[in-house]
Amino acid sequence: MKNSTLIFDVKRYAINDGPGIRITIFLKGCPLRCKWCHNPESQSRKAERMYAFDKCIGCQECVNACKVNALELTGPGIVGNDLCQLGGDCAEVCPTKAMEIVGEAKTTSQVMQLIKKETLLMDTSQGGVTFSGGEPLMHHAFLLPVLDACGQEEIHRCIDTSGYAKTDVLLNIAKRTDLFLYDLKMMDSDKHKKWTGVHNELILENLKMLATTGANFNIRIPLIKGVNDDDKNILDSARFIAALPGQKPTVNLLKFHNIAEKKYRNLGVDYDKGDMEALSVEREQEILNVFELYGVHTTLGG
């Protein structure tokens, strides 16, 4: 479809993706591979099949519906082969929703129709629309007309981003965005590469550039024991944020939740969370206090 992109989820009544009550549009595809990613189905830019063995009742409706004979019922459950074209017939007939095709092409006009259905709730709660992922900046050509259309409708626009994109793309999107939720995972570039698959120099430079424009943004830091909770990273992060030009952003410290294991299994992907754990409440408060000492307004969650 012309000027379309893959959407893998739409969340209505969202309250943690920006101010007010929002609709969050999840765009498929991400250049990072964070080991704690709780949306592994967001990473590939292609549609994918997810199969939940624990929901399957072995009725074989999906097997019979597949036009290319790509599915088979085995001991471990339904197994697919290379013939699969992700047509979606299997998911449509599955009575327990054990089979799912993740990623549906939507045009800009179709996305705007979804957003406009929520305008009454947005207006009464001072909410809006948030574009998340995946990495929404990978879809900038698709996003630009949607953001422009939202602006014409006076709908509050928020982008949830890793900041890993070409600087000119970020700045062009910024002209059409009311708020960024900007991830800052850790300061050491080699550690960033180890845990996310990419170095962080571009992310940090983009954050500095965004700050010089006067754009409105919050910084989100996922707190993960053994990953980025060490004193040096916390101090370096606080100092970096405190030194940003312009009005200081709010920092949201996010708790680690191991909620993705089942999703990886349903995608047929091996997942090893290693020693990653959530921090204690006491350690979270200690970290919050460090940011506050540097004059940075900080919250737990958000």
Side-chain angles (χ1 to χ4, degrees):
M1 288 186 286
K2 186 177 180 181
N3 198 19
S4 66
T5 200
L6 285 186
I7 308 295
F8 75 91
D9 196 10
V10 176
K11 182 168 68 174
R12 295 173 174 83
Y13 313 109
I15 58 173
N16 295 313
D17 299 326
I21 300 175
R22 313 184 68 79
I23 178 173
T24 302
I25 312 290
F26 293 86
L27 308 181
K28 203 169 184 322
C30 184
L32 277 64
R33 293 295 181 268
C34 301
K35 294 187 183 296
W36 57 86
C37 179
H38 58 271
N39 283 330
E41 74 276 27
S42 74
Q43 295 176 1
S44 172
R45 291 196 70 163
K46 298 179 180 179
E48 297 173 280
R49 184 181 66 241
M50 291 183 74
Y51 167 66
F53 173 79
D54 57 339
K55 291 183 178 180
C56 182
I57 58 176
C59 67
Q60 300 192 67
E61 289 292 330
C62 60
V63 175
N64 297 329
C66 181
K67 295 182 176 64
V68 294
N69 298 316
L71 301 176
E72 178 184 1
L73 178 62
T74 68
I78 299 296
V79 175
N81 58 40
D82 293 339
L83 295 175
C84 179
Q85 299 174 358
L86 300 172
D89 293 330
C90 55
E92 289 182 9
V93 300
C94 180
T96 62
K97 306 301 180 185
M99 192 70 71
E100 179 183 2
I101 302 300
V102 182
E104 181 180 3
K106 294 284 189 182
T107 64
T108 54
S109 61
Q110 288 174 327
V111 169
M112 282 305 302
Q113 288 175 14
L114 291 173
I115 295 169
K116 287 181 179 180
K117 289 180 181 179
E118 310 299 320
T119 51
L120 179 59
L121 192 58
M122 293 178 196
D123 292 343
T124 56
S125 69
Q126 295 184 315
V129 59
T130 298
F131 295 96
S132 187
E135 174 49 66
L137 297 185
M138 288 182 70
H139 307 264
H140 58 277
F142 173 84
L143 270 181
L144 289 172
V146 177
L147 292 171
D148 283 339
C150 288
Q152 292 169 7
E153 298 287 339
E154 298 185 344
I155 297 171
H156 185 274
R157 302 156 295 183
C158 179
I159 300 290
D160 182 4
T161 180
S162 69
Y164 192 79
K166 292 181 179 179
T167 303
D168 61 339
V169 167
L170 174 67
L171 298 182
N172 200 16
I173 291 290
K175 297 174 184 177
R176 301 162 166 84
T177 300
D178 301 297
L179 174 67
F180 285 91
L181 304 178
Y182 200 106
D183 293 345
L184 185 64
K185 305 177 195 315
M186 64 197 73
M187 298 301 295
D188 183 272
S189 186
D190 289 334
K191 287 184 178 180
H192 198 279
K193 169 77 172 177
K194 171 186 174 182
W195 290 101
T196 72
V198 302
H199 289 289
N200 69 353
E201 287 84 0
L202 177 61
I203 292 169
L204 299 181
E205 286 303 312
N206 275 346
L207 185 51
K208 292 178 185 177
M209 288 295 297
L210 191 63
T212 64
T213 69
N216 188 21
F217 61 94
N218 290 356
I219 293 176
R220 287 181 158 185
I221 301 177
L223 292 180
I224 308 169
K225 187 176 181 179
V227 176
N228 64 350
D229 66 319
D230 57 284
D231 290 341
K232 184 179 187 309
N233 181 64
I234 299 305
L235 284 169
D236 288 347
S237 299
R239 289 167 179 159
F240 176 83
I241 294 169
L244 289 172
Q247 183 176 351
K248 297 299 174 285
T250 293
V251 170
N252 305 129
L253 303 177
L254 308 181
K255 183 181 287 290
F256 169 71
H257 295 284
N258 182 30
I259 59 175
E261 190 168 358
K262 184 177 179 181
K263 287 185 176 183
Y264 281 100
R265 183 170 65 249
N266 292 350
L267 282 169
V269 176
D270 292 332
Y271 174 62
D272 179 11
K273 80 176 187 71
D275 297 327
M276 291 187 295
E277 294 181 20
L279 302 187
S280 67
V281 174
E282 292 76 16
R283 180 55 178 158
E284 289 177 340
Q285 187 62 51
E286 289 174 359
I287 292 172
L288 183 149
N289 292 341
V290 171
F291 283 95
E292 294 282 359
L293 282 173
Y294 278 85
V296 178
H297 176 61
T298 308
T299 68
L300 295 175

